[in-house]
Amino acid sequence: MDDLCDKARQEGVLLEGPKDSGYPIGYWAFLRDPDGHTLELSYGQEIGFTVEKAT
């Protein structure tokens, strides 16, 4: 994720982050895609752990 954020920063599309907000939010960043939409990258969010337990 850090590599992706570094590349996004170099290309001028990193909007916010990367930031570690701790449990349950996790490590996250926001990027802008070529169409102007906001894309969230995240790692360690509670939803991921919940889905893993359900399967």
Side-chain angles (χ1 to χ4, degrees), residues 3 6 14-16 18 20 23 25 32 34 36 44-45 47-48 54:
D3 289 341
D6 286 341
L14 183 64
L15 298 175
E16 189 173 349
D20 187 353
Y23 177 86
I25 297 169
R32 183 178 56 249
Q45 288 188 341
I47 189 69

Side-chain angles (χ1 to χ4, degrees), residues 11-35:
E11 295 181 12
V13 297
L14 183 64
L15 298 175
E16 189 173 349
K19 184 174 181 179
D20 187 353
S21 295
Y23 177 86
I25 297 169
Y27 193 56
W28 58 271
F30 288 109
L31 291 76
R32 183 178 56 249
D33 77 4
D35 294 323

Side-chain angles (χ1 to χ4, degrees), residues 2 4 7 12 15-16 20 25 36 39-40 43-44 46 49:
D2 288 331
L4 290 172
K7 185 174 181 178
L15 298 175
E16 189 173 349
D20 187 353
I25 297 169
L39 173 68
E40 178 184 3
Y43 176 81
E46 177 65 26
F49 301 131

